[in-house]
Structure formats: structure tokens, C-alpha cells
Amino acid sequence: MNNGPSPQPLSSGPIARRGLLFVLSSPSGAGKTTLARRLLEVDKDIAMSVSVTTRKPRPGEVDGQDYVFVDAARFSGMRDGGELLEWAQVFGNHYGTPRQPVEAAVREGRDVLFDIDWQGAQQLAEKMAGDLVRIFILPPSGPALEERLRGRNQDPVEVVARRMAAASAEISHWAEYDYVVINADVDKSLASLEAILAAERVRRDRQTGLTAFVREMQKSL
Ligand code: 5GP
């Protein structure tokens, strides 16, 4: 039994760690955007990576918040100037992740949430594999996906048809991901994402301050 003075805290703050890159991919309409928004609401320690895109804004989308909307020339300039960590062409438009904010966040121990496709996830895996946590969101069924795509009602019919055809191709990449969440119930899926995030944050190799923390602790033993 230790009857001595109550132990002093060994660390003045949380253990230093690298930020992680939390990637959500799914076919369009599987609920990924809703899940990303809900995760940002409940977890204040993760921030969204805002992509640049050549796609036109949809009604309600805010420049600088949902995307940074750019023209093709600006996109090419950023890509060729090394300003993008990854980029891809999706449904005829270009999308890319600005490099600087992501690299700064990881260095400073802040977590970043990505809503990007399988092409982006593959490029991040080539460049920052140790920091990456990849989650694939599946719809509960084909008809459920089709219903969600039609329900959105913001895109022209031919765009919906194209996305249905593309869904199968996107889904074929499911096995490249670390986790797969079947989104039948948004609350349950959100709980899964929170659990994954909590576990990944305490991975040993991510907690760069552990060696110093344990060394300091051993001095008092
Ligand atoms: P939407 O036009 O519906 O917002 O997005 C279309 C697709 O592009 C989605 O699957 C989305 O995840 C993906 N996407 C959005 N931003 C990026 C990005 O910066 N990089 C990549 N690789 N994909 C992106």
C-alpha cells in the first residue's frame, strides 16, 4: 500500500502525438457527408480538410467552407506547383487536397478529416501511410443507395445515373481500407467512427511523447 503523499502529475498536458489523417470514402449517396458533419459536431479535436475543386458550387455550398472553388487554370497551377497532397478527377471535375494545412496539422498533433475518393486515399497511403486511418462507408443495399441518390434531388437525372454507374466502381475499392462501416443507421455509424478515432489516437506509434513520459515516470519509481 502506498501511504505516501499523493502522486504528482507526470505531465503538464496531454502526451505529444502526431495528428492523424481520418479518411472517409464511399460511393456518392452512402451518407458520408452527413457522417462527416456529425463527427465534426461531436468531436472538436478534428477539423475538415477543405479541398479545392473545379466543380461548380451546389445550392447552399459555401466557398472556403465546403470547397475552395477554382477554375481549371488555377487548379493546374496548384497541382503543378506541388501545392496539392493528392488530386483526382471525379465525374469530370478535378478535386485536390491542399498540402500545407495537412502537413502542419499532423506535425502539431491535430487530426484532419477527409471526404475524398479511393484515388485520394491511395495517394495519401503512398505519402503518409503511418498517419493514415482509412474508413470505407458502404450503403446497406443497392436500392437504398439509389433511393438516397434520387432523394438528394439537387443533381440532374443524368448525373444521378452516372453516379449509380460509378458507385459499383468506387465500392470495388472497399478492401483497400482499414475499416468498413455499413451505414444502415447514422447514429450507429457515427458511434463506430468515434470508437475508431478514440482507438487510433492512443496507438503507441502515434504518441511521440511516450518515451519522455515513461522515462520521467520511472524516475519516481
Ligand atoms: P462531390 O462533388 O459530390 O462533392 O464529390 C465527388 C467525389 O469527390 C466524392 O467521392 C468526394 O469524396 C470526392 N472528393 C472530394 N474532394 C476530393 C479531394 O480533394 N480529393 C479526392 N481524391 N477526392 C475528392
Side-chain angles (χ1 to χ4, degrees):
M1 253 333 222
N2 180 0
N3 293 320
S6 45
Q8 293 297 306
L10 290 165
S11 162
S12 56
I15 307 284
R17 68 171 176 90
R18 283 175 74 76
L20 54 83
L21 310 182
F22 204 65
V23 170
L24 302 184
S25 297
S26 76
S28 182
K32 173 184 51 172
T33 308
T34 303
L35 281 171
R37 201 179 306 129
R38 292 275 305 272
L39 187 62
L40 291 170
E41 277 166 17
V42 297
D43 191 320
K44 295 301 170 200
D45 293 325
I46 191 164
M48 194 81 199
S49 166
V50 180
S51 298
V52 292
T53 183
T54 59
R55 167 166 81 59
K56 296 279 168 278
R58 294 197 186 108
E61 283 185 330
V62 179
D63 190 23
Q65 192 175 306
D66 297 291
Y67 283 103
V68 173
F69 296 98
V70 296
D71 62 17
R74 173 82 184 114
F75 188 93
S76 309
M78 290 182 81
R79 186 192 55 206
D80 299 344
E83 291 176 50
L84 300 179
L85 195 53
E86 60 77 30
W87 63 87
Q89 190 172 340
V90 187
F91 308 123
N93 296 304
H94 287 90
Y95 297 83
T97 300
R99 175 191 299 279
Q100 193 277 334
V102 175
E103 291 182 344
V106 169
R107 237 184 358 254
E108 292 160 18
R110 292 180 285 113
D111 302 326
V112 186
L113 178 63
F114 296 80
D115 173 342
I116 60 176
D117 78 337
W118 65 271
Q119 304 175 80
Q122 279 190 356
Q123 292 170 60
L124 291 185
E126 281 164 18
K127 291 173 182 166
M128 303 178 81
D131 302 314
L132 196 59
V133 181
R134 293 163 297 186
I135 295 127
F136 200 85
I137 313 286
L138 279 174
S141 70
L145 180 66
E146 185 166 0
E147 197 183 305
R148 286 184 199 179
L149 281 174
R150 293 196 189 291
R152 185 183 278 175
N153 254 347
Q154 279 189 11
D155 297 306
V157 175
E158 66 271 18
V159 172
V160 175
R162 218 162 9 121
R163 288 189 167 177
M164 283 301 289
S168 177
E170 181 78 27
I171 286 174
S172 70
H173 291 276
W174 68 275
E176 296 162 23
Y177 287 71
D178 305 306
Y179 300 90
V180 176
V181 173
I182 298 173
N183 188 24
D185 177 306
V186 177
D187 290 331
K188 285 190 183 143
S189 300
L190 180 65
S192 294
L193 295 184
E194 289 185 81
I196 295 166
L197 198 45
E200 290 286 345
R201 280 174 172 156
V202 291
R203 277 186 72 99
R204 174 174 48 75
D205 50 6
R206 213 155 263 143
Q207 299 193 76
T208 50
L210 270 183
T211 305
F213 176 77
V214 171
R215 202 173 285 145
E216 193 61 29
M217 182 190 297
Q218 285 173 323
K219 284 185 194 162
S220 64
L221 297 178

